[in-house]
Amino acid sequence: MRKKIVAGNWKMNGSLELVNNLLPRLVEVSGEIQAEVLVCPPSLYLAQAKAQAGSQLAIGAQNCSEQVSGAFTGEISVAMLADLQLAHVLIGHSERRAIYGETDELVVSKVQAAIGAGLTAVLCVGETLAERESGDTLTVVLGQVNTVLSQIGTDQWSQLVIAYEPVWAIGTGKTASSEQAQEVHKAIRQELARSDADKAETVSILYGGSVKAANAGELFAQQDIDGALVGGASLDADEFISICRQAG
Ligand code: PGA
């Protein structure tokens, strides 16, 4: 009923060489992978990645501007992403929130801009270790989700993917246990269901945070985990392909 998606977030890693080597490997096996495969390289490589991906893989951006166009040095607009025929953009990644000070309000503006341009917004949410330890996980995560849900209509959920990424599990080698992840995914889906129970079943909710070939299967077996947002492991073709194959 809802799409399984495995997304690779290269962050500020990789090179033209990696684009030209890794993407053809993914294209080669794409016929054997049931999940939708999305690769998000640094923006400088998006055009080349798109050319390598053909129609078999989706290519997405890691960020976008909330502004339409104009004097915003260093920014990339949603119209530019659409111009390259990209269909996805990550929004509100915890590194954007923590390092570049992106607020919930800015995240909402970016989601609205992306959806308005016909793109799918991959909204990233997640709690810090301190928030988990103080028992605030669901308050924080559902708060981040609701800030966005309150500003978009349920008819726009077809252009929304949610990625739950506990901040303490990103790049640390610590994965949330499949039960910990499922608990949050289920809570997010219940929150969606408060607005529209049927549509809540159609929104893909991905897990992110130290996903590897070795732990992907157990995560994907959970009822409300519809795929993964993979950082470090997406830079290694064999590892990433193995994760993609497990999302059936
Ligand atoms: P990681 O990153 O897989 O390297 O933990 C995930 C992410 O930040 O999207």
Side-chain angles (χ1 to χ4, degrees):
M1 179 159 192
R2 50 186 177 259
K3 261 192 231 163
K4 297 272 186 196
I5 303 169
V6 179
N9 171 15
W10 287 15
K11 310 191 180 185
M12 198 171 74
N13 295 300
S15 59
L16 203 49
E17 194 185 350
L18 190 71
V19 171
N20 290 332
N21 289 333
L22 194 144
L23 290 175
R25 293 272 322 274
L26 287 176
V27 168
E28 207 176 283
V29 298
S30 60
E32 301 153 26
I33 293 171
Q34 274 158 31
E36 178 172 317
V37 178
L38 167 66
V39 177
C40 302
S43 54
L44 191 62
Y45 300 134
L46 285 170
Q48 178 64 10
K50 182 71 187 162
Q52 289 284 10
S55 58
Q56 286 104 315
L57 306 171
I59 302 295
Q62 298 174 13
N63 184 26
C64 64
S65 173
E66 78 286 8
Q67 302 287 346
V68 175
S69 66
F72 301 100
T73 301
E75 293 293 293
I76 291 170
S77 74
V78 290
M80 294 168 187
L81 300 180
D83 200 14
L84 287 194
Q85 297 183 334
L86 304 175
H88 300 80
V89 55
L90 308 183
I91 296 178
H93 189 279
S94 63
E95 287 151 18
R96 302 285 330 160
R97 293 178 191 257
I99 306 171
Y100 299 101
E102 288 196 8
T103 59
D104 270 341
E105 289 63 38
L106 182 61
V107 168
V108 170
S109 303
K110 290 186 176 194
V111 169
Q112 288 174 321
I115 289 176
L119 302 172
T120 292
V122 181
L123 169 68
C124 304
V125 296
E127 83 287 2
T128 62
L129 184 59
E131 288 162 343
R132 174 159 285 267
E133 286 177 344
S134 60
D136 293 328
T137 298
L138 293 184
T139 311
V140 169
V141 171
L142 298 182
Q144 290 170 338
V145 169
N146 275 326
T147 312
V148 171
L149 292 186
S150 64
Q151 300 301 321
I152 64 170
T154 56
D155 54 325
Q156 296 178 311
W157 289 5
S158 58
Q159 287 169 262
L160 181 70
V161 170
I162 297 174
Y164 167 58
E165 301 201 299
V167 177
W168 49 272
I170 294 178
T172 58
K174 284 187 204 161
T175 324
S177 68
S178 48
E179 292 77 21
Q180 280 174 322
Q182 166 60 20
E183 186 196 358
V184 179
H185 282 234
K186 187 175 170 193
I188 294 172
R189 195 164 325 273
Q190 283 170 344
E191 198 62 30
L192 291 164
R194 278 159 31 101
S195 298
D196 188 321
D198 289 339
K199 283 197 179 134
E201 294 299 318
T202 66
V203 176
S204 299
I205 308 177
L206 315 184
Y207 171 78
S210 298
V211 175
K212 304 204 162 21
N215 58 25
E218 204 191 319
L219 289 160
F220 295 159
Q222 302 298 313
Q223 199 181 348
D224 291 292
I225 300 184
D226 307 312
L229 178 53
V230 185
S234 71
L235 297 165
D236 180 307
D238 292 332
E239 187 79 12
F240 190 60
I241 288 169
S242 170
I243 296 168
C244 293
R245 284 187 197 279
Q246 292 180 61

